Amino acid sequence: MFIDSHCHLNFPDFQEDLDAVLTRARDQGVQGFLTINTRLSEAKTLQEIADRYANVACTVGVHPHDAQEYDAEKLLKEITDLANHPKVVGLGETGLDYYYHQSPKEAQIKSFEIHCNAARTLNLPLVIHTRDADADTLAVLDQFKDVGGVFHCFSSSMDLCRAALDRGFYISISGIVTFKKAENVHEAAAFVPLDRLLVETDAPYLAPVPFRGKRNEPAFVVHTAERIAEIKGVSLPTLAKATTENFLTLFSKTQTFFTI
């Protein structure tokens, strides 16, 4: 049994067939789903999806691409208020993205710090997106050493992987691990201990081989898991058990309503 630890079920890609998407996933042994917030204007929709389906949880947060669109003076209260929903189990995705740089660096850092502050206050884990921003990401986290979470869709350096693990964070691997040239992700998948590993789709993005280039969906997380198990030299059931237990430990609020 698997849990897709990061997907975007509210995106337009799933508007017409979400029931079928989740049915296909469950048929493949994917029994839990965490749907991720990127804009606060969409938070209520995510909560409605989580309420509608069993074993679906959600987060609240602002993607770094959109950080400049929010009033920093109001953001903490907005996040805190939205996180009161019983199926909100984490905050994000938040973090820093200096590759696309769609929001100024200062706005991204401020938003990230506000999410960290909220995580501390609410005792919820962070879902972190980081790209080409390793040093600043760690610098922010080092201001909030009592906050934990996961580095999602990990594709950064091994230095960041080690630093994240040293700080108690989990690492989530996406379908990128099935790409032949993604050597850094292969290395991370081999290195991360089983008790600190999660699996995800980031659906509708980043479909794994053999579906690369098509719409990704939660059922495909099994292909990602198969490749990780191969890299780590463990059985698929062993990987499934470990990643499911890790998810339920990190997103501990899910234990109150997931039927696993």
Side-chain angles (χ1 to χ4, degrees):
M1 180 193 66
F2 294 96
I3 294 176
D4 184 355
S5 68
H6 192 114
C7 54
H8 299 278
L9 301 180
N10 67 305
F11 279 19
D13 309 70
F14 299 120
Q15 187 172 355
E16 301 299 325
D17 64 342
L18 184 55
D19 286 353
V21 165
L22 295 180
T23 296
R24 282 194 293 273
R26 292 189 172 102
D27 288 345
Q28 292 298 313
V30 185
Q31 295 297 317
F33 313 85
L34 181 57
T35 184
I36 303 296
N37 194 197
T38 59
R39 292 171 175 265
L40 295 188
S41 60
E42 300 171 355
K44 293 294 186 183
T45 300
L46 280 123
Q47 292 169 10
E48 290 168 2
I49 291 171
D51 284 338
R52 191 183 317 148
Y53 297 100
N55 287 3
V56 175
C58 61
T59 64
V60 168
V62 175
H63 196 285
H65 288 341
D66 303 311
Q68 67 181 336
E69 298 180 15
Y70 294 85
D71 183 343
E73 298 300 320
K74 299 178 181 178
L75 184 57
L76 179 60
K77 184 178 188 307
E78 290 176 320
I79 291 172
T80 302
D81 288 347
L82 287 166
N84 284 327
H85 188 277
K87 280 198 157 184
V88 171
V89 300
L91 302 180
E93 60 188 278
T94 182
L96 305 173
D97 192 315
Y98 296 169
Y99 181 82
Y100 286 109
H101 228 289
Q102 293 185 17
S103 282
K105 182 184 295 187
E106 295 76 13
Q108 292 189 46
I109 291 173
K110 183 62 177 177
S111 176
F112 190 17
E113 290 173 342
I114 290 169
H115 283 77
C116 290
N117 194 5
R120 171 185 283 167
T121 300
L122 298 167
N123 194 28
L124 290 174
L126 295 167
V127 177
I128 297 174
H129 169 113
T130 182
R131 190 168 184 187
D132 288 1
D134 294 7
D136 282 357
T137 297
L138 295 174
V140 171
L141 292 176
D142 284 344
Q143 299 174 50
F144 299 89
K145 293 185 178 180
D146 53 343
V147 169
V150 58
F151 280 68
H152 109 89
C153 192
F154 193 85
S155 60
S156 300
S157 68
M158 284 304 299
D159 286 343
L160 182 61
C161 184
R162 292 186 183 93
L165 292 170
D166 288 346
R167 287 161 174 79
F169 283 78
Y170 289 74
I171 301 292
S172 182
I173 303 292
S174 73
I176 295 174
V177 76
T178 67
F179 302 171
K180 287 183 179 180
K181 295 183 179 180
E183 295 178 1
N184 60 325
V185 183
H186 302 163
E187 187 177 4
F191 180 78
V192 176
L194 267 180
D195 64 356
R196 303 285 287 284
L197 184 67
L198 299 180
V199 290
E200 66 170 270
T201 57
D202 203 11
Y205 308 118
L206 300 174
V209 175
F211 304 102
R212 190 173 183 182
K214 300 180 180 180
R215 180 189 73 170
N216 200 3
E217 58 181 77
F220 299 166
V221 78
V222 178
H223 295 273
T224 297
E226 288 172 344
R227 179 63 179 128
I228 297 171
E230 179 184 15
I231 289 171
K232 298 189 78 65
V234 300
S235 69
L236 190 60
T238 295
L239 187 80
K241 182 175 186 293
T243 56
T244 296
E245 290 177 350
N246 295 341
F247 178 92
L248 295 172
T249 297
L250 177 60
F251 297 101
S252 58
K253 193 174 172 182
T254 57
Q255 297 180 33
T256 66
F257 59 89
F258 268 26
T259 305
I260 299 291

